[in-house]
Amino acid sequence: MGIVSNLRLAAAATGLIAATMFVSTTAFGAGDVKDPDSQDWHFEGIFGTVDRAAAQRGLQVYLEVCSSCHGLKQVAYRNLTDLGFNEEEVKAIAAEFDVVDGPNDEGEMFDRSAIPSDKFVGPFPNNAAAQAANNGALPPDLSLQVKAHIGGPDYIYALLTGYTEAPADVEVPAGANYNPYFRGSLIAMAQPLWPDGVTYSDGTEATIDQMAWDVVNFMQWAAAPEMEERKKMGFKVVLFLIILSAILYAAKRKMWSNLDH
Amino acid sequence: MSAGTNQTGGTNSGLVKWIDSRLPVFSYLQKEYAEYQSPRNFNWFWNFGAILTFLLVMMIMSGIFLAMQYQPNTALAFDSVERIMRDVNFGWLLRYLHQNGATFFFIAIYIHMFRGMYYGSYKAPRELLWMLGVVILLLAMATAFMGYVLPWGQMSFWGATVITNLFSAVPLVGDSIVTLLWGGFSIDNPTLNRFFALHYLFPFLIFGVVVLHVIALHVSGSNNPLGVDPKGPQDTVSFHPYYTMKDSVGLAVFVTIMAAFVFFAPDFFGEPENYLEAAPLNTPAHIVPEWYFLPFFAILRSVDFDILFIEAKLGGVIAMFGAIFVLFVLPWLDKSPVRSAKFRPVYKWFFWIFLIDCVLLGYVGGKPTDAPVFGGVESFQIIHLGYITTFWYFAHFLIVLPLLGIFERPKPVPKSISEAVLGGGSSGAAATAKPMEKA
């Protein structure tokens, strides 16, 4: 408790500093970050939909690569039916994970296999455990990463495919990795994707670009699972409103024609 | 209007008459919203009162349903919003309507206010009407600020940290005010709880002030693009059906634009980092408020120097609140007897300069202070543009407007609305007006 309140005091102090030091708060110059290239995503545009084949492959990349460090806590296994998995497949995916449930009639907590209604089981029981396992860096939850960055999908794709040798003038300390698309260029995450890091069941070749592409499609769906329903409804609503506006305008003209102008 | 049945909208319903003779709601509506005589020459900028009324109701309705699902607890708030987005039936629609509704409320309120400034709607006898409008703006800002904290994202938390800390600049009682706002010694669960309670309360206060705003409007009557008072029935039409019809058109177009954002680009106006849960130990590189606060935020930051015994921080806070309070006294700063900028050749220019100044302030508020302006030369930084635009904001009200009242020569103002609208200025105005068919 003492530590917690100390941390809160520290947070409040940080806030005070942030509030009073606006004038000098710009830690990062514009030249530090490389702008991601714009990609042609299937989900873009007012008629854009989820590329289910890509998103299914992306799930595989998430489960086999990303999920060793990153959680996906806002998404439930049952949501995977959106991507075209049937209920048996969803049950099978969920059953690979254990969750703590309880207490049972004896008052004991117990482990059981996850079921479709459970949220994705994360790799760590809490943030402190995650940081302890990652040199103090906290791997962010991936549920909303696409929405949490400007140009989210392009940024994440660029980040995953953008690991290169550091230029001679950049010193990369131990535990850091060079990535020009990351703010400050030094990222705690080591390059996660390598050729043939996963074996796709549909025969797609698992290049770095392909896996990054697929996992971004998956993460986009995970961040905005309502997207297809939203755009479909939006098309009808906006079309209705345009017609309504036109009719109301015509009625207004007719009504006002009774008056002199 | 003839007496009798027409007072209740021409109904013959016995029940309506029975109620109306005991509680005259029907005759009130008939008088204030149907027969209410409005100048016949409103342009489309006169739609925004109706649009704002609609938006206020929409915000209250969507907000009530969101409150049924939202959890005002720091451990649950962020996830409860995501649950609304994912698992609540049409929760994403409610949430995106509410989130974008705030943005479009401010778009409409700013257009409404600039309309008032251009056409001199704040001048006698409408000073109180204008001041009540400024009260609504202040309340709307407080409501929006507290509402933005509720999802408990990174910008919620750090925005709240920055803004609440401003009050610590108040001499003597500053720290006590901050403690009171926080409900403790840091932004935490008590802060979230009280912001939620107040965020639910304030829209109803706004509603109350809107009622006063409308009462004041109906006492003095609406201004119009000419700024000339109606002289008789040839200058006016009844509010219903003419302006209910015209307002419906404007509202439908406005809602169409809003819907396009809600459904196709719902996060366009939002700050991406607010999709990261609040982390009190992890300060974002660049804390920015929502776009509608940016001009005021720019004024706050632009006072980064001590003025005599006033420290920079307090000076910034005074300037920021001063930027709103100067609006309260606007009716007395603008001394020109002519209302509409149509007949004020010099003021017209200064109006547009002021509008551009406000847009530039918004740009300044959204950028780091040491960035070059528009990516140009290093020596001309955002903070410098901030000094200029902040100075001009106040100079417009405190120097330009009082001087224009003395030195500007207004163009001749038409004798009446019907003369300007119908007669082209040459023929007798009243003579050319046909008898009203519906009024």
Side-chain angles (χ1 to χ4, degrees), chain A residues 17 53 82 138 147 161 180 199 212:
Chain A
I17 294 164
D82 287 3
L138 179 64
K147 284 163 111 179
T161 56
T199 308

Side-chain angles (χ1 to χ4, degrees), chain B residues 379-396:
Chain B
S379 55
F380 187 54
Q381 294 174 351
I382 288 291
I383 188 71
H384 303 128
L385 184 61
Y387 296 148
I388 297 167
T389 46
T390 299
F391 170 78
W392 188 259
Y393 183 95
F394 288 103
H396 175 82

Side-chain angles (χ1 to χ4, degrees), chain B residues 295-296 299 317-328 393-394 397:
Chain B
F296 300 100
I299 290 172
V317 173
I318 291 172
M320 182 177 73
F321 284 103
I324 294 169
F325 282 105
V326 74
L327 296 171
F328 277 111
Y393 183 95
F394 288 103
F397 289 112

